[in-house]
């Protein structure tokens, strides 16, 4: 990325480190229909259940958790593709939780989304030029020198050949398509990008390149990111702060250092030990790491366990865990900003344990046989 390609200064500058997006008590319940002959609402999927988070100007915030824990729903609520059931979303001090289409218009261009699947998220019948200039067209934005010039600049910023302006998505590889998605997200000079598993559909060999591009964009253009991933390996090099989600709740949040070296929640420990270091990491030394394997599946978000939602899979669960929901707070021993929702937290270390903790009895039995 060359210097003259840096996006022009924003009209209403906000200072790095200030809160950009503040989410409080955010909740999304999807109705579950059933019954015959009259279909009624018979329950709710508690996809996101009262989460708080703050993304600061220019910061990269990682949101991590297993499949189905509510990460995409959170991203879609923030970008207002979904209407929240409860709670508030405030962007630069303005409450946008239930803002109308018209009220949202100026904010919409500042918050953009990059999707997981670079195949389905690009219209196959449109040229790359048309796709990338789409957001400018919709918002009636005519950059200096015209839209085509701007698209060529954007193509160059994301590492694609500006001459490929007239090509169609199928002429590009998966990694290149995701670069097109990034260019489209950059077209309106956003201040916040919600990237929903932007590399998990890509070949491992090209994941790092796309992560590097996003990192460059984040740093050089000062764009804040909410980076969604299902494991901790990808966000490790990308996010200054990380929140871990489980069944619709944030169970631990802190700066990168705290989450990776001093995790307190058993689930964060499990995620850290279950995830193999992937090629994205250059300092991945997993030798001597404790190994915890999680038993069973994530319970249904239609009727989550009482008290602590992780208790059905937790090796430290006691009676209190079933009756009292642990609040997300700064527990004793944590530094400021490191919050954990657990009654019986782990020690703040990832030191090797002598034994392998195997939480799945079937797996343990198999290993004994073998
Ligand atoms: N439109 C919808 N209607 C009903 N249920 C939904 C809807 N969208 C999501 N859900 C449910 O809400 C829960 C959270 O889904 P969500 O897609 O947010 O999870 P996720 O963490 O992004 O998972 P993944 O890692 O698989 O992408 C899941 O149980 C899902 O089935
Ligand atoms: S509150 Fe109890 S069940 Fe939940 S994570 Fe902590 S120890 Fe485990
Ligand atoms: Mg998802």
């Amino acid at each position: 990325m060359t210097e003259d390609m840096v996006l022009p200064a924003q009209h209403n500058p906000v200072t790095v480190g200030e809160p950009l997006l503040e989410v409080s008590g955010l909740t999304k319940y999807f109705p579950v229909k059933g019954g015959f002959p009259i279909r009624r609402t018979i329950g709710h999927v508690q996809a996101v259940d009262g989460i708080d988070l703050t993304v600061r100007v220019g910061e990269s915030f990682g949101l991590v958790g297993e499949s189905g824990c509510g990460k995409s729903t959170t991203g879609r609520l923030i970008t207002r593709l979904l209407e929240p059931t409860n709670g508030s979303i405030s962007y630069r001090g303005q409450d946008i939780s239930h803002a109308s289409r018209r009220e949202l218009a100026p904010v919409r261009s500042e918050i953009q989304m990059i999707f997981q699947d670079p195949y389905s998220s690009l219209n196959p019948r449109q040229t790359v030029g048309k796709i990338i200039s789409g957001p400018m067209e919709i918002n009636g934005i005519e950059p200096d020198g015209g839209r085509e010039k701007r698209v060529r600049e954007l193509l160059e910023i994301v590492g694609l050949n500006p001459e490929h302006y007239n090509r169609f998505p199928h002429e590009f590889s998966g990694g290149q398509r995701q670069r097109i998605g990034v260019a489209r997200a950059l077209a309106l000079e956003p201040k916040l990008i919600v990237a929903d598993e932007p590399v998990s559909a890509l070949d491992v060999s090209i994941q790092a390149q796309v992560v590097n591009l996003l990192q460059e964009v984040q740093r050089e253009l000062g764009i804040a990111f909410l980076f969604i991933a299902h494991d901790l390996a990808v966000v490790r090099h990308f996010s200054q702060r990380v929140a871990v989600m489980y069944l619709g709740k944030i169970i631990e949040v802190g700066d990168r250092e705290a989450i990776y070296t001093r995790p307190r929640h058993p689930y964060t420990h499990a995620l850290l030990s279950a995830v193999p270091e992937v090629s994205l990491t250059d300092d991945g030394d997993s030798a001597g790491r404790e190994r915890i394997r999680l038993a069973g599946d994530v319970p249904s978000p239609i009727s989550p366990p009482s008290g602590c939602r992780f208790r059905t899979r937790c090796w430290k669960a006691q009676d209190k865990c079933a009756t009292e929901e642990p609040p997300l707070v700064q527990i004793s021993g944590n530094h400021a900003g490191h919050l954990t929702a657990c009654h019986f937290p782990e020690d703040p270390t990832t030191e090797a344990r002598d034994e392998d903790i195997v939480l799945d009895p079937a797996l343990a039995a198999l290993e004994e046989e073998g």
Side-chain angles (χ1 to χ4, degrees), residues 204-271:
V204 175
S205 59
I206 44 175
Q207 284 187 359
Q209 296 169 16
V210 175
V211 169
N212 287 341
L213 167 69
L214 293 172
Q215 205 151 23
E216 221 173 87
V217 160
Q218 187 242 330
R219 288 189 188 143
E220 300 199 16
L221 305 182
I223 299 172
F225 267 78
L226 181 72
F227 192 104
I228 295 172
H230 58 264
D231 68 52
L232 279 159
V234 177
V235 295
R236 180 169 196 158
H237 293 259
F238 193 83
S239 299
Q240 286 106 45
R241 286 195 308 133
V242 177
V244 180
M245 264 186 104
Y246 188 78
L247 263 186
K249 303 234 180 228
I250 290 179
I251 53 91
E252 186 153 38
V253 57
D255 59 28
R256 173 185 14 213
E257 195 55 22
I259 296 297
Y260 288 91
T261 65
R262 298 185 301 278
R264 304 301 302 277
H265 198 285
Y267 181 59
T268 312
H269 274 258
L271 275 186

Side-chain angles (χ1 to χ4, degrees), residues 146-224:
R147 289 185 191 141
E148 182 173 331
K149 175 165 171 277
R150 180 75 186 127
V151 170
R152 288 176 191 271
E153 272 174 18
L154 287 164
L155 283 170
E156 207 159 335
I157 287 175
V158 300
L160 292 173
N161 186 344
E163 300 308 313
H164 293 168
Y165 184 91
N166 277 318
R167 297 202 176 175
F168 288 89
H170 73 261
E171 298 175 71
F172 294 86
S173 67
Q176 289 173 323
R177 286 187 211 196
Q178 200 54 308
R179 288 174 191 270
I180 297 168
V182 175
R184 176 176 58 185
L186 292 177
L188 297 180
E189 304 173 19
K191 292 196 173 61
L192 173 68
I193 292 181
V194 175
D196 189 359
E197 306 215 32
V199 299
S200 55
L202 304 177
D203 242 41
V204 175
S205 59
I206 44 175
Q207 284 187 359
Q209 296 169 16
V210 175
V211 169
N212 287 341
L213 167 69
L214 293 172
Q215 205 151 23
E216 221 173 87
V217 160
Q218 187 242 330
R219 288 189 188 143
E220 300 199 16
L221 305 182
I223 299 172

Side-chain angles (χ1 to χ4, degrees), residues 30 45 47 66-73 116 197 230 301:
F30 294 107
V45 177
E66 279 167 292
S67 184
C69 71
K71 306 178 298 291
S72 295
T73 305
Q116 175 174 359
E197 306 215 32
H230 58 264

Side-chain angles (χ1 to χ4, degrees), residues 32 43-47 49 67-69 246-248 296-306 309 312-313:
V32 180
H44 288 94
V45 177
Q46 304 178 18
D49 201 8
S67 184
C69 71
Y246 188 78
L247 263 186
D297 296 328
V298 183
S300 162
I302 299 174
S303 51
S306 65
R309 292 189 174 185
T312 54
R313 302 166 83 195

Side-chain angles (χ1 to χ4, degrees), residues 307-320:
C308 174
R309 292 189 174 185
F310 186 57
R311 71 177 165 81
T312 54
R313 302 166 83 195
C314 183
W315 54 96
K316 298 191 85 183
Q318 298 181 32
D319 292 349
K320 186 182 182 183

